[in-house]
Amino acid sequence: ESPLIIAIDGPSGSGKSSVSKAVASRLGVGYLDTGAMYRALTWWCLDQGVDLADEAAVVAAAQTLPLELSTDPDDQRVGVGGSDVTVDIRTTEISSQVSRVATNTGVRPILQQAQRDRMAAIATATGGVVAEGRDITTVVAPDALVRILLTASEEARLRRRSAEVHGTADEEAMAATRDQVLRRDRDDSSVSQFTVAADGVVTVDTSDLGFDESVEAVLAVVASRV
Ligand code: C5P
């Protein structure tokens, strides 16, 4: 029986991470958060005093990144060289710097290959994998059995991000979130085309869906493919 490989791409605030984890959990397969890999590399470069503008130095860091990622969707832990950075990689500082690492053209093939290797290992161990990011459906795993683009309107994405980061979606929090989210979308736009579905990729728009409904919508796409 061929492993259940599910690739999910989308912009921040689409619900991508929480929905992907819930889908992996429901299906009893492992999970890979590729954004966490770019974030961990960014954290490590800053920790080691690597200048993010020094492209060769960042590539060297990518080649030797001592990354530990749990594959359990219900217990996501990220470690770098023995330090638990699960929380540290989600700070605004990392969020505002990560695109500089992700747009480094020497870094991408290294992390993409590491992602393919991890997906294969997870699929072998658990019978499948849900991998999420920006270029999984197009570059990392274009042959995946299920490929989904999770989208949401800009308004819905900002509202969710605001609630997540600030605990509220009032006007002030929304304004602060808007700058951050739109800037990162713009910085990431050269990474890959993650707002329009590539050929054969199914779009799931979560703008008007609650969390459970989004999970069900993705599971319905999976069911239609297996
Ligand atoms: O998904 P998340 O917001 O954690 O991703 C963090 C950053 O990692 C993105 O803003 C993007 O710069 C980069 N990324 C990427 N390719 C992926 C996943 C994430 O370039 N497949």
Side-chain angles (χ1 to χ4, degrees):
E1 203 177 296
S2 58
L4 183 55
I5 311 284
I6 302 172
I8 301 182
D9 286 326
S12 69
S14 58
K16 186 170 42 99
S17 290
S18 44
V19 170
S20 297
K21 274 187 268 198
V23 167
S25 189
R26 283 276 293 272
L27 297 171
V29 301
Y31 166 72
L32 179 66
D33 173 357
T34 63
M37 296 175 71
Y38 288 93
R39 287 174 180 273
L41 176 57
T42 305
W43 179 88
W44 202 51
C45 286
L46 297 179
D47 184 67
Q48 300 285 302
V50 172
D51 179 1
L52 299 185
D54 183 344
E55 294 194 15
V58 177
V59 169
Q63 271 156 345
T64 56
L65 179 69
L67 179 68
E68 301 118 39
L69 260 186
S70 68
T71 61
D72 180 351
D74 299 310
D75 184 24
Q76 275 297 294
R77 294 266 127 214
V78 185
V80 176
S83 309
D84 186 329
V85 298
T86 309
V87 173
D88 309 65
I89 62 168
R90 307 283 163 196
T91 60
T92 10
E93 201 208 344
I94 298 296
S95 297
S96 69
Q97 299 297 316
V98 64
S99 304
R100 298 176 67 193
V101 169
T103 52
N104 180 318
T105 52
V107 163
R108 297 200 67 80
I110 296 169
L111 290 198
Q112 286 159 346
Q113 189 52 47
Q115 288 155 12
R116 288 184 196 109
D117 295 344
R118 280 171 189 269
M119 286 178 71
I122 296 169
T124 301
T126 68
V129 61
V130 177
E132 56 114 327
R134 301 286 192 286
D135 59 349
I136 312 306
T137 63
T138 53
V139 180
V140 174
D143 298 327
L145 187 62
V146 184
R147 291 184 301 151
I148 294 173
L149 180 73
L150 215 60
T151 56
S153 66
E154 188 175 294
E155 165 72 19
R157 296 197 298 119
L158 291 174
R159 198 170 0 90
R160 284 181 195 146
R161 232 356 183 217
S162 179
E164 192 179 298
V165 176
H166 302 283
T168 165
D170 66 21
E171 233 172 279
E172 199 182 326
M174 284 284 279
T177 306
R178 179 179 307 274
D179 289 346
Q180 259 177 39
V181 169
L182 299 187
R183 176 159 45 78
R184 189 143 64 94
D185 281 356
R186 198 188 54 231
D187 292 346
D188 280 338
S189 60
S190 69
V191 159
S192 70
Q193 182 50 268
F194 55 82
T195 49
V196 179
D199 242 17
V201 175
V202 179
T203 299
V204 173
D205 188 326
T206 66
S207 303
D208 301 318
L209 302 182
F211 175 71
D212 292 341
E213 293 169 318
S214 303
V215 173
E216 293 305 328
V218 169
L219 287 170
V221 175
V222 175
S224 75
R225 295 280 152 143
V226 295

